Amino acid sequence: MSHPIEMQEISHLRRLEAESIHIIREVAAEFARPVMLYSIGKDSQAMVHLARKAFHPAPLPFPLLHIDTTWKFRDMYAFRDRFVAEHGLRLIVHRNQRALDEGINPFDHTSQKYTFALKTQALLQALEQGGFDAAFGGARRDEEKSRAKERVFSFRDRNGQWDPRNQRPELWNLYNGRIDKGESIRVFPLSNWSELDVWQYVQLERIPVVPLYFAAERPVVEREGNLIVVDDGRYRLRAGEVVRPRRVRFRTLGCYPLSGAMESDAVSVRDLLAEMLRSRHSERQGRVIDHDEEGSMETKKREGYF
Amino acid sequence: MAVAVREIEEQLLIRTGKELVRLVIIGSVDDGKSTLLGRLLYEAGGLYDDQIAQVRRATRNGDPIDFSLFTDGLKAEREQGITIDVAYRYFETDRRKFIVADTPGHAQYTRNMATGASTADAAIILLDARLGVLPQTRRHAAIAGLLGIRRLAVAVNKMDLVGFDEGVFRRHQRELERFAAPLGFAQLSFIPVSARLGDNVAEASARTPWHRGGTVLGFLESVETAREDAQGPLRFPVQTVLRPHLDYRGLAGQIASGTVSVGDEVVVLPSGTKTSVRAIDSFEGPLAQAFAPMSVVLRLAHEVDVSRGDLIAHAGAAPVPRSSLEGIVVWLSERPLDPRRVYLLKHTTRTVPVRAVAVKSRLDPETLGRHPAESLALNEIGNVMVQCGRPIIPDAYARNRATGAFILIDALTNETAAAGTVGELAAAADNAETGAPRIVAVEDVASAHEVERFLSGEGALAAIVRTAAAAKACAAAGIVAVLVRRPGDQALPDDAMAVDLRNAAWREALRSADRA
Ligand SMILES: Nc1nc2c(ncn2[C@@H]2O[C@H](COP(=O)(O)OP(=O)(O)O)[C@@H](O)[C@H]2O)c(=O)[nH]1
């Protein structure tokens, strides 16, 4: 019935896990209305898994929030609905309907404008509507240079904005979660995890992930050096562009017209890990969205994006 | 191909069992910290191909790679050309995953360094071989020591600019060793380095044949980690109480130290209630035993009153709740310590109001001298006496970093005003000093609150209880029990003192009680 203790010195993954659970519980205990951002990606899957562990056998004491641009892969929507139903999770889906009505889309608008309207603004709307004072995000510090200084508790002002100069020092595991009315924090329980850690954890814990992470033959068009999977009829092909079946997978998932795929034969988490250990390429490269300008992630963060 | 597959399998296997090591790397501006760190990341394979390509593009043709560009950070500081905050870097070797707190050297330095050092197992301090031990080098070593870092490597950098001269190196070594002696480091390694050229970073340099002390990476690979002690006394701060249904009441928390087993006799603090562990729950199922640093859920044998901020310890090895403590704080706020401001103290999962913070002395980290002081300003370090409005349950920082650390929060601005470490604790409970009786019996709840307020004002720890058994448990834990007697309750515990608030002299009576 009881599990034996395998070792007195626990591995770095178990240590990271224990730390993340501690963070998630601190937020649930100290904030009135937390919410967990859920992007359907592997980091979100790992984060939700950690949250379920943190409160087991009680249900999650907060809902999940999906900021939906309407441009995610169909597989992602299907996976999301199955996943929340299976585990009885509360899910809020929010779209910036006004921006969608105005026709903001990833083809006619710059990626800054698109991201600002359908992600940043949508997120701020959802947080305000829900009256949420703490929002968990699955970002990791090793993802991108400007994240290296991100706190675990990232303080946001009344407009949901982030001021790099006005962040609280974080010592030990003593997080200062005190805020005034209207202020909020973003919390990053996976701060100290690397991409490899997340994948290894997914494997260790048998966490389900969207099949798009694994190689399969998919309809691909090549645009500006990126391999774009044409997921539905809305994609606007330019003259001369042809869609060809190619064996690809995604390293990160987002809006399909803005996600770059990579050629690969990896069909399991084990294969993925093997591929990653063989070739090292930083993960955000596949995100078309970050390439517009150096330090662009930081600009988005200042505006309120995760 | 077959060989490659086997290698990957091996690497994956190794990766599941890596050890997590936290470091802080400290240097003044231009000592070469970014260069050293960039080279460590590079040598340990912690950089991605596209990152390397990007830095190669940014390096002028013909120059060696500028390794410092790898650890480049936020836009604001790129514009100013300085690093302004603590950044965290990650890399791994076959045995270990490293989390490196990269702390910059300028005005906000002490604050950043304290932040980075608070969680570090070990530190690397850089100094420029041409400049030697500067006041800030001493400051760095002192803060590392105060924050509980026991293992330190000193990288004497830019050895190429002093011709890899042994005499220069030894002079710096002797000087810093002399200064650091009172700081009690368990390990103090000196390494002659050229971060730019790679000497003694990952591989032993042929240009320092006189050096036998290993490389920077060698230090990182072998340094003993400062783990929370699974062998030590049990400390389980309760984070939150899980109540999925009426029959389940689980205490969620991360074990700060020690090991807990089903059936163990435990005490809930500060109430002092004794019970035992009925079950240890985890997502995977019940456990027979759990140890630091696991995050688990405990269920107790009795329906005792437990909430966030309480601490579970073994009955025979429980800490004493205290409302006053002595410690060392690093002031983190731009607003100096001000007795008129209201502060909160956060210790483990417990936040209590602070009644007073009195500065006993200011510490000069460059000389280790103590000076009289009334207040502390940003980046200053001082010995303080803190009086809390409600008890906390601390250990000395030297014995337990998790239960010996606290922060002070400015209640008005919400900013984190200071970071503190608890000094050695007197064996006796506070209440012995205040001379209050151990159990005070009153007739009604309103009186109980009045008495409790008064006792707290006197610096005693007091709790309101309703049964003689709870009163005794409190008394045993060093807390004054204010027992509300129910009508018809005749028997008072032996050592109880009955107080009637209609008697105007009740305060005096309480004050002088037990002193006789
Ligand atoms: N000659 C020499 N120059 C170095 C060495 N390490 C760093 N530098 C140079 O010293 C300057 C400051 O280095 P940097 O790493 O940016 O210092 P930081 O301010 O401590 O991060 C740069 O010009 C480096 O190229 C070294 O070992 N030898």
Side-chain angles (χ1 to χ4, degrees):
Chain A
M1 178 193 103
S2 292
H3 286 237
I5 293 196
E6 288 137 30
M7 49 197 161
Q8 281 295 99
E9 176 52 53
I10 69 172
S11 75
H12 78 284
L13 278 180
R14 291 295 171 211
R15 194 171 277 279
L16 290 172
E17 175 189 62
E19 234 176 69
S20 299
I21 290 175
H22 170 85
I23 293 165
I24 294 169
R25 287 171 173 171
E26 280 301 281
V27 174
E30 291 207 337
F31 288 81
R33 287 182 70 81
V35 69
M36 183 167 272
L37 270 285
Y38 177 65
S39 72
I40 326 177
K42 63 175 195 307
D43 300 314
S44 284
Q45 290 304 121
M47 182 166 64
V48 172
H49 185 75
L50 287 162
R52 291 179 60 221
K53 280 195 158 190
F55 302 104
H56 178 83
L60 288 198
F62 40 75
L64 306 184
L65 170 63
H66 180 218
I67 298 302
D68 183 20
T69 60
T70 74
W71 289 95
K72 305 292 169 188
F73 292 89
R74 282 172 301 162
D75 265 1
M76 291 172 73
Y77 293 111
F79 179 92
R80 177 194 75 188
D81 294 342
R82 218 171 35 238
F83 179 71
V84 299
E86 192 176 327
H87 297 290
L89 303 167
R90 271 185 296 153
L91 173 75
I92 300 166
V93 176
H94 182 85
R95 302 183 191 94
N96 182 354
Q97 199 53 51
R98 178 173 304 169
L100 289 169
D101 291 345
E102 281 171 14
I104 304 272
N105 69 66
F107 304 108
D108 299 316
H109 302 92
T110 61
S111 75
Q112 285 100 317
K113 191 163 188 179
Y114 170 81
T115 302
F116 181 72
L118 293 186
K119 292 188 177 177
T120 308
Q121 238 178 16
L123 173 62
L124 295 177
Q125 286 166 357
L127 294 180
E128 196 184 327
Q129 275 172 27
F132 298 116
D133 53 0
F136 293 98
R140 294 175 283 104
R141 287 197 189 114
D142 83 331
E143 250 175 76
E144 209 257 349
K145 270 190 207 164
S146 80
R147 292 232 196 253
K149 301 181 181 203
E150 185 66 278
R151 303 293 198 275
V152 173
F153 278 30
S154 176
F155 188 75
R156 307 295 161 117
D157 64 17
R158 281 187 173 73
N159 303 315
Q161 287 169 355
W162 176 78
D163 175 3
R165 287 167 187 285
N166 191 24
Q167 296 298 316
R168 295 172 182 168
E170 272 175 357
L171 294 102
W172 300 287
N173 60 357
L174 298 175
Y175 302 104
N176 172 1
R178 292 183 55 92
I179 50 169
D180 279 328
K181 233 185 155 80
E183 296 172 341
S184 63
I185 60 157
R186 306 283 166 85
V187 190
F188 303 107
L190 302 183
S191 284
N192 288 327
W193 296 60
S194 69
E195 187 187 14
L196 219 50
D197 294 331
V198 171
W199 277 120
Q200 208 146 25
Y201 190 65
V202 163
Q203 189 190 34
L204 193 68
E205 299 281 301
R206 298 195 175 79
I207 299 170
V209 292
V210 186
L212 289 158
Y213 284 113
F214 306 113
E217 206 148 273
R218 298 190 167 96
V220 170
V221 65
E222 208 171 323
R223 178 175 292 183
E224 287 150 21
N226 293 300
L227 303 181
I228 305 293
V229 168
V230 180
D231 198 53
D232 60 30
R234 291 179 295 172
Y235 198 78
R236 295 193 206 155
L237 291 171
R238 293 177 192 156
E241 282 182 342
V242 265
V243 179
R244 284 204 188 84
R246 281 169 88 160
R247 207 172 161 69
V248 294
R249 67 172 173 91
F250 289 89
R251 193 143 173 209
T252 55
L253 291 175
C255 299
Y256 87 77
L258 297 173
S259 297
M262 59 193 280
E263 300 208 276
S264 163
D265 285 319
V267 293
S268 66
V269 179
R270 237 212 99 272
D271 291 352
L272 283 187
L273 284 163
E275 241 183 51
M276 287 171 59
L277 287 171
R278 239 178 263 135
S279 79
R280 305 190 60 105
H281 224 61
S282 72
E283 134 188 54
R284 284 195 158 260
Q285 224 191 15
R287 287 190 194 172
V288 179
I289 200 169
D290 276 338
H291 279 288
D292 297 340
E293 52 168 306
E294 256 283 276
S296 60
M297 173 62 86
E298 193 194 335
T299 312
K300 290 191 197 84
K301 259 170 50 178
R302 280 178 194 264
E303 289 166 349
Y305 180 60
F306 254 76
Chain B
M1 189 63 207
V3 176
V5 168
R6 201 168 329 126
E7 265 172 27
I8 298 241
E9 289 293 349
E10 267 167 34
Q11 276 197 45
L12 286 177
L13 201 66
I14 288 170
R15 245 205 132 255
T16 53
K18 280 192 188 183
E19 200 181 348
L20 191 67
V21 180
R22 291 168 197 270
L23 301 166
V24 59
I25 179 161
I26 314 157
S28 302
V29 179
D30 278 346
D31 282 350
K33 187 168 56 66
S34 312
T35 309
L36 178 67
L37 200 45
R39 192 173 268 279
L40 279 171
L41 298 187
Y42 179 80
E43 304 270 5
L47 296 167
Y48 293 115
D49 298 343
D50 52 324
Q51 290 175 307
I52 296 171
Q54 199 184 351
V55 165
R56 273 193 209 282
R57 276 200 301 277
T59 308
R60 260 181 306 151
N61 273 345
D63 285 1
I65 300 190
D66 182 350
F67 287 96
S68 71
L69 295 177
F70 289 121
T71 56
D72 184 16
L74 295 178
K75 222 179 197 175
E77 71 202 49
R78 271 209 298 282
E79 281 156 10
Q80 296 169 9
I82 49 157
T83 336
I84 53 168
D85 212 338
V86 188
Y88 292 86
R89 322 280 178 198
Y90 303 83
F91 70 96
E92 16 185 291
T93 59
D94 279 353
R95 292 185 48 228
R96 293 182 153 182
K97 166 169 170 148
F98 295 96
I99 300 179
V100 186
D102 173 4
T103 66
H106 73 117
Q108 298 219 326
Y109 201 70
T110 302
R111 164 168 127 166
N112 292 332
M113 217 195 116
T115 302
S118 68
T119 50
D121 296 308
I124 301 176
I125 291 182
L126 264 94
L127 59 91
D128 186 324
R130 296 169 302 176
L131 307 174
V133 177
L134 299 176
Q136 58 263 37
T137 318
R138 293 195 288 269
R139 169 177 282 261
H140 302 163
I143 296 165
L146 291 175
L147 269 288
I149 293 176
R150 289 284 147 263
R151 292 167 193 279
L152 198 69
V154 180
V156 180
N157 191 31
K158 307 198 186 184
M159 284 300 292
D160 53 309
L161 299 180
V162 297
F164 293 96
D165 183 77
E166 180 177 7
V168 171
F169 175 78
R170 297 283 176 228
R171 199 168 63 237
H172 301 333
Q173 176 174 1
R174 274 194 304 275
E175 192 179 343
L176 197 56
E177 275 173 348
R178 210 175 313 123
F179 173 79
L183 293 167
F185 292 111
Q187 180 181 355
L188 184 57
S189 305
F190 288 79
I191 307 168
V193 165
S194 170
R196 191 179 167 128
L197 305 177
D199 297 79
N200 294 324
V201 176
E203 269 173 54
S205 169
R207 291 184 280 209
T208 55
W210 41 267
H211 173 66
R212 301 256 179 284
T215 63
V216 176
L217 199 58
F219 170 81
L220 300 183
E221 281 279 59
S222 62
V223 69
E224 203 177 292
T225 53
R227 286 284 165 256
E228 66 293 290
D229 192 2
Q231 255 49 265
L234 173 68
R235 299 291 184 260
F236 181 80
V238 177
Q239 284 190 281
T240 181
V241 180
L242 304 178
R243 296 223 71 163
H245 50 81
L246 282 177
D247 299 329
Y248 190 97
R249 189 179 160 79
L251 312 176
Q254 182 174 19
I255 304 173
S257 67
T259 299
V260 61
S261 303
V262 172
D264 283 0
E265 296 287 324
V266 293
V267 55
V268 179
L269 296 166
S271 76
T273 314
K274 290 201 173 100
T275 178
S276 62
V277 176
R278 185 161 68 153
I280 306 169
D281 292 335
S282 77
F283 191 70
E284 287 75 21
L287 305 170
Q289 198 177 57
F291 51 87
M294 290 165 72
S295 282
V296 291
V297 175
L298 300 188
R299 273 185 293 145
L300 302 178
H302 304 98
E303 270 283 324
V304 293
D305 198 13
V306 186
S307 54
R308 172 171 169 81
D310 287 354
L311 184 115
I312 311 277
H314 278 140
V320 179
R322 291 163 200 267
S323 57
S324 68
L325 58 97
E326 226 183 296
I328 295 175
V329 300
V330 178
W331 205 256
L332 307 171
S333 164
E334 311 266 350
R335 273 187 203 83
L337 167 54
D338 180 347
R340 288 160 309 180
R341 294 190 79 81
V342 180
Y343 298 105
L344 300 170
L345 181 146
K346 185 170 184 182
H347 169 261
T348 65
T349 56
R350 192 173 177 84
T351 305
V352 300
V354 170
R355 282 218 321 273
V357 191
V359 182
K360 300 181 78 180
S361 63
R362 186 175 57 76
L363 178 81
D364 180 346
E366 290 170 10
T367 61
L368 300 183
R370 290 183 188 282
H371 306 282
E374 305 272 277
S375 174
L376 294 171
L378 176 64
N379 291 320
E380 286 187 337
I381 301 168
N383 254 67
V384 297
M385 185 83 184
V386 186
Q387 299 276 341
C388 302
R390 276 186 290 126
I392 62 165
I393 309 122
D395 288 295
Y397 189 72
R399 285 171 219 287
N400 194 322
R401 276 169 101 179
T403 53
F406 62 88
I407 56 172
L408 295 179
I409 299 168
D410 187 312
L412 195 66
T413 63
N414 290 337
E415 65 181 335
T416 305
T421 61
V422 178
E424 285 304 323
L425 295 158
D430 290 353
N431 296 327
E433 300 153 27
T434 63
R438 305 179 77 78
I439 301 177
V440 179
V442 294
E443 300 293 335
D444 56 66
V445 176
S447 304
H449 282 289
E450 183 78 36
V451 169
E452 192 230 32
R453 254 197 309 280
F454 168 75
L455 289 169
S456 299
E458 295 287 291
L461 302 177
I464 298 172
V465 297
R466 280 156 208 282
T467 65
K472 282 188 176 141
C474 277
I479 298 164
V480 183
V482 184
L483 174 61
V484 186
R485 298 173 72 192
R486 277 170 300 205
D489 257 3
Q490 291 306 322
L492 267 183
D494 298 342
D495 41 0
M497 171 180 166
V499 167
D500 184 346
L501 267 62
R502 282 165 301 192
N503 178 343
W506 67 272
R507 292 184 181 83
E508 269 50 58
L510 270 178
R511 249 187 220 126
S512 55
D514 270 18
R515 292 230 173 112

